[in-house]
Amino acid sequence: MRRIILSTESGADLPEDLAEKHAVQVVPMHVIMDGKDYLDGSLAVQDIYDYYDRTKKIPSTTATNAHEYHDFFTNIKADYPDCIIVHIGYTSKASASFQSAVIASEDFDDLFLIDALNVTGGLAAIVMYAATLLENEPAIEPDRLVEKIEAIIPKSRLAFVPGSLEFLRAGGRVSNVAYLGGALLKLKPRIELIDGKLVSTKKYRGKMSSVAEKLLYDYLNQFDIDREQLYFQYSIGLDESLKLRVEEIAKENGFKNIKWMQAGAMISTHAGPGGFGIAGLEV
């Protein structure tokens, strides 16, 4: 039986312990800061915020390119000879990374590419679904595995509130955020993935402590999320008491397992410090 290896991008913010436990291979995206190109994961997130404090400039991000993908897939094949690779990629609607994977894939056999149409925790939830499925059914055929992963993609639900409108505006990934109005009125936009695109669907007023609770209650009312697993995302700077409170609410609502995921440098460049998000799979 040939081994199936799962892979994804650093933009999934998949915690290192989960990646290692499930042997998920992660290819880094890029952060460009002060004229230097850093691989996502090699740059401390705090450095990004310190850089902004000093310069009032926000780093940019770039996708993994086709050459890097070629090397990435080649290395997986070298480490796991005769393996089959199933790559679950960052939404193609917000990055060129998936297209780079498509270009690189032309030189490989037994390589399946899946556009997850999601980012950060929403992407991680899909990857973890695939990892769990693969462990529970180690003899599953690759075509069947891909079919099941693709079927779960529309059920992955991500919603988050960025910590800084300035970072969100500069990132330019959300086209319908009224930055100036939100900043003046102290409004915080709720961002969701809709058809693979980042869209502002609602605005909250108030401090992040109350906004996070409102977001969580709205999320649970809107979606029937599988109570087996819930993912919380945060960018550094989020208050610890807020974390305890939303985790308490999740447990009160029947969630059995809650996993916190820190946004990496690439995602933090867009979300800013003190952001909060939720991800899970609908039943």
Side-chain angles (χ1 to χ4, degrees), residues 68-101:
E68 290 169 320
Y69 264 111
H70 192 279
D71 289 347
F72 177 64
F73 294 140
T74 297
N75 289 337
I76 293 176
K77 289 284 188 177
D79 291 339
Y80 303 95
D82 201 37
C83 75
I84 297 165
I85 302 172
V86 175
H87 179 73
I88 305 171
Y90 193 95
T91 176
S92 62
K93 304 292 181 65
S95 170
S97 190
F98 189 76
Q99 183 58 34
S100 295

Side-chain angles (χ1 to χ4, degrees), residues 4 12 65 73 93 112 126 153 161 165 167 192 222 232 241 280:
I4 297 175
N65 63 47
F73 294 140
K93 304 292 181 65
F112 295 84
I126 296 167
I153 286 173
V161 174
L165 282 178
F167 278 72
E192 294 182 61
Q222 183 177 355
F232 284 143
S241 63

Side-chain angles (χ1 to χ4, degrees), residues 31-33 38-48 59 264-265 269:
V31 177
I32 313 298
M33 187 174 76
Y38 297 88
L39 292 179
D40 190 15
S42 68
L43 177 66
V45 174
Q46 187 59 52
D47 290 348
I48 292 172
T269 297

